[in-house]
Amino acid sequence: MRGLDRAAWPIAALLVGYPLWWALGFGGLSVIVLAPPMAVILWRRRPIRVPRGFGLWLMLLAGYLVSALMLGEMPPETYGDFGAGRVLGYLMRLSLYVSLLVMVLYLGNLTERELPQLALVRMLGTLFLTTVAGGLLGVFAPNADFTSPVESLLPRWISGNAFVHNLIHPTSAQVQKVLGHASPRPEAPFEWANAWGSNVSVLLVWFVVGWWAYGGPRRRLAVAPVLALCAIPVVYSLNRGLWIGLGVASAYLLLRLGPRTRVLACSAIAAGTLLFLLSPLRGMVVQRLDNPHSNDIRAFTVSATVAAARTSPIIGYGNTRNAMGNHRTITTGRTDWCDGCGHPPLGSDGQLWHLMITQGFVGAALYVAFFAGAIRRHWRDRSPIGMAGVLVMILTLLYMFVYDGLVTPLSLYLISFALLWRNSMASGTA
């Protein structure tokens, strides 16, 4: 972005340049690549400011370090060998946690001159446009994929790991039989369809702030057609968590906006709802609600995760595990004669459950306290950025029940947290 201070270029490279990172195979791991230059910038401007609630995140990180002691242990009713894959997954998550901590401190220690708040919001809005384009690609070219340079360079024993493969192999969509037949669920330019759902809702919030609340006539004119295009992959994602999140966001805005703005918001929501009901997209939503096939899978995985976490409630097990059996059978894993016997790893159905298996109930509580504390501290900030940031914190706590925050969602949650922190420093309430 022209005119941007040199110190702010790492975050511009992360957000505006994200499509390139995705094509190279770094995608959500790009923040790990950019964390070192951010750390150098921080080191040169000591002393470093820290946000309120920072101690909770440090405790969460310290707990994850301690949880490494349990990597070789197995909870009851789980299976799997202790090997390189488990260690690799742990180290990747640890690197991400540390990099995100650096990123938040970096954002909070840049001045308004170096990185204006509106510039950061507009970068997120640009990534929203990229996400909409990726969603449309997933709908109309669901089988598009390619081998990234990173994937080509890595040894097979690393690139073949399922978790790593999702991160480094660019694909436009996950084709699943959610409705009883093969249908695409957009995921480009992110790692999973659920990550796309979480990210598009968060980025939508910042797009509206940057293009409508702080936008001129030309930007405001673009909002309606962009949102209409966004509705297509939002519906095709078949993502009930995303749909609920959008409903919560609408209710939040109607609650917090002033009387005049509330009338405008109600009119926009009503018009959008009417257009949707008259469109062919309505039928897909009805089909999805009539096919809640994932409910039993989630119930089994969540209950098995909680049971495993009870056996190590303080520090967890450092990484995910696989449960024996599934919601249909005691058979463990997929076989040639039972292709319905597979199941997702424990902790893969939401960040709350992921933290329970990896860091115990203590880690889960620290995560909740960190984001809930941000809501409490910034609730009175009625600026567009303040209200949008609080909304993202609410969505973060909502999505922790259904979405894994790793990899890219957590980056966007914490950038939103940093926007709130920077706002409070500008107003003198930090």
Side-chain angles (χ1 to χ4, degrees):
M1 298 176 70
R2 289 182 295 178
L4 198 65
D5 191 275
R6 183 172 61 180
W9 272 101
I11 197 66
L14 176 66
L15 297 176
V16 180
Y18 189 85
L20 178 60
W21 291 109
W22 176 69
L24 290 174
F26 285 103
L29 302 179
S30 53
V31 69
I32 298 175
V33 179
L34 292 166
M38 294 182 194
V40 170
I41 293 170
L42 279 171
W43 183 257
R44 288 177 176 174
R45 56 180 64 200
R46 302 184 309 275
I48 299 171
R49 293 190 298 260
V50 299
R52 292 176 63 186
F54 183 66
L56 293 171
W57 196 263
L58 284 180
M59 291 170 65
L60 184 67
L61 182 58
Y64 196 55
L65 288 170
V66 175
S67 72
L69 298 173
M70 299 295 287
L71 283 174
E73 303 298 322
M74 294 298 296
E77 303 300 320
T78 64
Y79 71 96
D81 298 325
F82 175 62
R86 189 179 299 172
V87 175
L88 181 64
Y90 171 85
L91 292 176
M92 190 174 294
R93 292 181 177 96
L94 177 62
S95 299
L96 184 67
Y97 283 139
V98 173
S99 299
L100 291 176
L101 179 143
V102 171
M103 181 191 70
V104 169
L105 294 179
Y106 156 81
L107 287 172
N109 282 271
L110 291 180
T111 65
E112 177 67 12
R113 181 190 62 80
E114 291 171 321
L115 179 60
Q117 284 281 75
L118 182 55
L120 179 53
V121 169
R122 292 241 170 101
M123 289 180 199
L124 291 167
T126 300
L127 184 55
F128 171 74
L129 296 175
T130 300
T131 303
V132 173
L136 292 171
L137 176 67
V139 171
F140 295 109
N143 296 312
D145 72 316
F146 58 91
T147 301
S148 70
V150 169
E151 185 179 2
S152 299
L153 293 173
L154 286 176
R156 179 63 185 170
W157 68 270
I158 296 179
S159 63
N161 178 276
F163 176 70
V164 175
H165 185 76
N166 277 334
L167 298 179
I168 64 175
H169 184 80
T171 54
S172 63
Q174 289 179 277
V175 180
Q176 300 176 336
K177 295 183 178 180
V178 177
L179 302 178
H181 56 82
S183 55
R185 300 186 63 208
E187 63 179 6
F190 304 114
E191 56 272 10
W192 295 285
N194 281 347
W196 189 92
S198 172
N199 293 345
V200 75
S201 62
V202 170
L203 292 169
L204 170 61
V205 171
W206 295 116
F207 172 75
V208 171
V209 172
W211 265 253
W212 183 267
Y214 292 116
R218 292 176 63 184
R219 288 185 185 272
R220 288 189 172 190
L221 195 61
V223 170
V226 169
L227 295 185
L229 284 174
C230 181
I232 298 172
V234 163
V235 172
Y236 269 87
S237 71
L238 304 176
N239 200 319
R240 292 172 299 172
L242 166 60
W243 300 344
I244 293 171
L246 293 176
V248 169
S250 299
Y252 170 86
L253 291 175
L254 295 178
L255 172 68
R256 301 215 62 197
L257 291 175
R260 294 177 59 184
T261 314
R262 188 180 297 132
V263 171
L264 180 61
C266 283
S267 301
I269 293 171
T273 302
L274 179 62
L275 288 174
F276 167 75
L277 291 176
L278 296 174
S279 76
L281 297 176
R282 174 179 174 273
M284 290 203 66
V285 173
V286 173
Q287 287 185 65
R288 178 65 180 99
L289 296 178
D290 287 340
N291 289 273
H293 80 290
S294 64
N295 291 357
D296 291 340
I297 299 173
R298 283 184 177 273
F300 170 82
T301 307
V302 168
S303 63
T305 300
V306 173
R310 286 175 180 158
T311 62
S312 182
I314 307 300
I315 63 174
Y317 286 94
N319 205 337
T320 59
R321 298 293 191 274
N322 292 310
M324 293 183 179
N326 67 13
H327 68 289
R328 293 176 179 170
T329 174
I330 60 173
T331 301
T332 298
R334 185 178 287 105
T335 66
D336 292 338
W337 55 271
C338 184
D339 60 4
C341 294
H343 49 73
L346 300 184
S348 61
D349 286 315
Q351 186 65 14
L352 182 67
W353 321 118
H354 175 82
L355 288 165
M356 282 186 185
I357 188 67
T358 58
Q359 293 183 245
F361 297 115
V362 173
L366 289 170
Y367 180 88
V368 172
F370 178 81
F371 289 106
I375 295 172
R376 179 184 58 80
R377 287 191 301 273
H378 300 288
W379 183 262
R380 294 185 179 180
D381 184 348
R382 300 191 67 85
S383 69
I385 290 177
M387 289 196 292
V390 168
L391 171 56
V392 174
M393 299 299 98
I394 292 172
L395 291 177
T396 300
L397 294 179
L398 168 68
Y399 288 157
M400 71 181 180
F401 293 101
V402 292
Y403 293 145
D404 186 348
L406 301 174
V407 182
T408 49
L410 197 54
S411 299
L412 297 180
Y413 300 159
L414 289 173
I415 291 173
S416 303
F417 172 85
L419 275 163
L420 280 174
W421 175 29
R422 287 165 57 93
N423 234 32
S424 66
M425 287 191 290
S427 65
T429 60

